[in-house]
Amino acid sequence: MDAVELFAPLGPTYDRYARLLSFGQDPRWRRFLVSRLEVGAGDTVLDVATGTAAVAIELARRSGCRVVGLDQSPAMLETGHRRVAAAGLSDRIELIEGTAERLPFEDDSFDGLTFTYLLRYVDDPAATMRELARVLRPGAVIAMLEFGVPRGLARPAWELYVRAGLPLLGAVVSPGWRRVGSFLGPSIRELHQRYDLVDLWREAGIDDVRQRRLSLGGGVVVWGRRA
Ligand SMILES: C[S@@+](CC[C@H](N)C(=O)[O-])C[C@H]1O[C@@H](n2cnc3c(N)ncnc32)[C@H](O)[C@@H]1O
């Protein structure tokens, strides 16, 4: 299913259910993601796939930087605009509609870059990584958050959750969340079967690539520095 269609009905309820369906871990993962960046007041960070602007708000609050949040879903951005205004951050966070595959920015434009749950939705993750690296100034930090596949004893529990629990819980919430609940498990599995994220990043011209698995591997944060 097309990502724009998938996210269209989710904006108003996204934050509440994303937290619930990740057992409350999602905000903690975002905080770790944001802590990887080395930015302060006077810097500008690009947050790609910003959705309802949760990462953008955390970035602006934590470091005092300016943030440009980009997403291809008008519905998610609409909720994002409301959240940014409610947080009193409209002067430092700008939200724009656009796609990660063709960023509307010059080379070397940003002092930091974050993206969350993006690579499962693009046709060519390697090309998208090169496009993200292009707009980052050399030496600046890029960091991403993605769902992971736990290993060892946690794996069977994860399989049970994504095969049965998540589709069922999603169906209880709404038809839109039922689609997400059924789509997520196979989509997460496929990303990690097809790609070694660290290799993907290095091939895009990112150095010092590091990875941290969080919550038994249910979340993965990858970060590095543009060469
Ligand atoms: C699961 S949401 C994550 C939102 C937010 N970053 C967060 O942490 O909650 C994924 C977002 O990626 C956006 N997205 C998917 N593919 C995209 C693309 N190619 N370009 C820009 N945004 C995209 C979707 O519209 C959606 O808002």
Side-chain angles (χ1 to χ4, degrees), residues 3-4 7-8 10 14-15 18 26 30 33 47-56 70-74 76-77 83 97-103 115-123 128 145 147 180 184:
V4 176
F7 284 98
L10 304 187
Y14 178 80
D15 297 288
D26 206 35
R30 284 202 200 91
L33 166 80
D47 180 44
V48 179
T50 197
T52 57
V55 171
L70 175 139
D71 201 285
Q72 67 179 11
S73 165
M76 293 289 275
L77 286 175
R83 293 192 65 200
E97 197 179 320
T99 72
E101 292 92 331
R102 281 182 309 281
L103 295 170
F115 61 102
T116 318
Y117 310 124
L118 169 70
L119 294 181
R120 288 178 290 104
Y121 299 106
V122 300
D123 291 335
T128 301
L145 168 63
F147 292 113
V180 174
L184 266 181

Side-chain angles (χ1 to χ4, degrees), residues 93-157:
I93 300 178
E94 181 190 2
L95 299 181
I96 62 172
E97 197 179 320
T99 72
E101 292 92 331
R102 281 182 309 281
L103 295 170
F105 309 110
E106 305 278 310
D107 296 356
D108 309 345
S109 295
F110 293 95
D111 306 299
L113 194 150
T114 49
F115 61 102
T116 318
Y117 310 124
L118 169 70
L119 294 181
R120 288 178 290 104
Y121 299 106
V122 300
D123 291 335
D124 186 344
T128 301
M129 279 307 306
R130 288 194 294 275
E131 177 64 354
L132 298 174
R134 178 185 71 75
V135 301
L136 192 60
R137 71 166 166 72
V141 173
I142 173 169
M144 87 163 201
L145 168 63
E146 184 50 84
F147 292 113
V149 178
R151 299 182 186 135
L153 289 175
R155 177 72 187 262

